[in-house]
Amino acid sequence: FVTGTQNNSNGSVEGNDSFVTQSGVGAVVTVDQDGQTNVSTIVQSGSLAIIDVEQDGVSNDSDVRQTGTGAIVNVTQNGRENESDVTQTGSGAIVNVTPRVGDRNDSEVIQVAGNMTVDVLQEGNDNESITDQRAAGVLLDSADVDVTQRGDNNFSDVRSVANASEVSVTQEGNSNRSEVDQFAADVRVQVPFL
């Protein structure tokens, strides 16, 4: 099931594009683009899965590829030239990407395994977040990654290959850099830059 809305302030659509390929059973895709030259590309093959993309502004780009059963991806981008790239193959997994306010923010999420959650919030300009979350073994209890960046020119790179783990990165200000590599079970990592 696919729904879509494309608008801009003067009531016409100026170059907004949405490309959806859907083959999953009982899956839902919703795209809402308000502005100009926004592009969303969605490939969904997971059953009972949900993708919701909202882009408000100019020249925002969202690319979502989802194959997990019962998985959820939410992408909200407001501003100019924000880019979001999500690849999700885990069943029951959740990805939330929210560059709320700002321009030229870049977020990349790779999520391979079920029962995982990734939350990325970026406010400001020219921020970049990379999250690669995978299971350490065949079975996965749960794993969470939470990245919050407020300010300009911040960079976060989280690579988590761990079960029952948690990573939390908070960066406020300008030109902060954080890199986290987690390869163990039952581990919590908190990185505050305030």
Side-chain angles (χ1 to χ4, degrees):
F1 182 74
V2 178
T3 63
T5 304
Q6 300 193 112
N7 298 300
N8 71 16
S9 58
N10 65 10
S12 64
V13 176
E14 295 183 10
N16 289 318
D17 290 307
S18 181
F19 306 95
V20 178
T21 302
Q22 187 183 51
S23 59
V25 177
V28 177
V29 172
T30 303
V31 178
D32 186 356
Q33 297 189 134
D34 188 358
Q36 302 172 5
T37 61
N38 295 301
V39 178
S40 66
T41 304
I42 296 172
V43 178
Q44 184 188 56
S45 58
S47 297
L48 304 173
I50 298 172
I51 296 175
D52 186 4
V53 175
E54 295 184 25
Q55 298 191 128
D56 185 1
V58 179
S59 299
N60 295 301
D61 189 358
S62 176
D63 189 340
V64 180
R65 300 181 185 276
Q66 182 190 63
T67 61
T69 300
I72 299 172
V73 174
N74 296 306
V75 177
T76 303
Q77 299 192 131
N78 297 323
R80 292 176 170 268
E81 300 174 17
N82 294 302
E83 185 173 346
S84 176
D85 188 351
V86 177
T87 301
Q88 184 187 58
T89 61
S91 296
I94 300 172
V95 174
N96 296 306
V97 177
T98 313
R100 275 193 181 171
V101 179
D103 301 332
R104 299 173 305 280
N105 292 304
D106 189 1
S107 178
E108 179 181 352
V109 177
I110 299 172
Q111 190 179 55
V112 183
N115 300 321
M116 296 178 149
T117 302
V118 174
D119 291 304
V120 178
L121 170 62
Q122 298 188 125
E123 295 180 345
N125 301 316
D126 301 300
N127 295 302
E128 182 177 2
S129 173
I130 301 170
T131 304
D132 189 342
Q133 186 185 49
R134 302 169 189 262
V138 177
L139 298 177
L140 179 69
D141 296 324
S142 64
D144 297 316
V145 175
D146 186 1
V147 177
T148 300
Q149 298 191 128
R150 293 184 173 96
D152 299 334
N153 299 302
N154 294 304
F155 175 80
S156 172
D157 187 353
V158 177
R159 304 196 185 265
S160 177
V161 183
N163 295 342
S165 62
E166 181 179 321
V167 176
S168 179
V169 177
T170 302
Q171 300 189 136
E172 296 188 4
N174 300 324
S175 302
N176 293 304
R177 182 178 182 90
S178 172
E179 297 185 39
V180 177
D181 292 320
Q182 184 184 56
F183 299 96
D186 300 312
V187 175
R188 291 189 178 189
V189 177
Q190 291 187 330
V191 183
F193 289 97
L194 304 175

